Amino acid sequence: RGVGLEKALGQVAAAVGALGAALGAMVANLTSHKRSFERDWERYSQWAERGKACHDELLALVDRDTDAFNGIMAAVQLPKASAEEQAARAAAIEAATLEAIAVPFRTMEVSVEALVVARAMAELGNPASASDAGVGALCARAAVRGAFLNVRINLPDLADKARATRFVSDGDALVARAEALEA
């Protein structure tokens, strides 16, 4: 923990997911403006909006991840001289740890949605942009896997072990869905 790499990991996972979402939205936009696809412009516009919503949320998650990491650092530095201070510090650490898990978990969820958009664009979009949709899918899948590493690195610090177990099982399900979508 001393070098702050887990801080960078969460930010990078969200940023890579945002890149994947942007590529999916881009393919939808390019397709909607192509003459041979213009009769379905509304359909592609809806896909573009879904991708843009993912992109926007993932960019916000970059900052939320920074805030979550800073929350842990602040909680660890709380005074612990008395029993009351120790209890308050422990509660603050637990809350901050939960946030440091919840943020990358949300990155996983939104990145899976970005994969849905990328897959749709690989299947339905302009064939000339299929490689863009493919790279978008690769980015979104990497975001899911990277964010899960971030979730897992913080789980040992979570006192609520039942909740930690749920994060692992739900995270495994998101990774499996991401891999199926990418394939």
Side-chain angles (χ1 to χ4, degrees):
R1 287 209 172 236
V3 296
L5 291 178
E6 62 278 358
K7 175 181 171 186
L9 173 59
Q11 293 171 332
V12 169
V16 169
L19 290 172
L23 284 168
M26 180 193 78
V27 172
N29 278 320
L30 289 173
T31 302
S32 72
H33 292 89
K34 191 84 171 150
R35 186 181 312 223
S36 58
F37 291 92
E38 65 187 8
R39 72 187 179 308
D40 290 326
W41 72 267
E42 203 169 323
R43 173 184 181 191
Y44 292 105
S45 292
Q46 290 171 349
W47 281 112
E49 288 173 16
R50 281 176 76 176
K52 178 67 171 136
C54 292
H55 175 259
D56 291 348
E57 185 172 356
L58 286 160
L59 285 180
L61 285 163
V62 171
D63 291 333
R64 279 189 59 202
D65 189 81
T66 301
D67 294 342
F69 179 82
N70 290 338
I72 289 177
M73 296 291 88
V76 168
Q77 293 173 2
L78 289 173
K80 53 184 175 182
S82 68
E84 288 132 2
E85 286 179 345
Q86 290 172 12
R89 180 177 179 270
I93 290 171
E94 181 73 358
T97 300
L98 184 57
E99 181 69 3
I101 294 166
V103 171
F105 193 85
R106 182 64 186 153
T107 296
M108 293 176 72
E109 292 172 328
V110 179
S111 295
V112 167
E113 175 65 14
L115 260 163
V116 170
V117 173
R119 178 179 175 171
M121 290 305 93
E123 293 173 350
L124 307 171
N126 183 348
S129 296
S131 61
D132 297 297
V135 172
L138 290 171
C139 288
R141 179 181 170 268
V144 171
R145 300 213 34 136
F148 197 35
L149 291 172
N150 195 244
V151 166
R152 293 181 74 108
I153 197 87
N154 287 301
L155 286 175
D157 296 332
L158 190 64
D160 184 344
K161 298 307 177 195
R163 188 174 243 176
T165 299
R166 282 192 307 274
F167 274 117
V168 171
S169 62
D170 292 348
D172 284 339
L174 286 169
V175 169
R177 176 139 167 74
E179 290 176 355
L181 286 165
E182 185 212 8

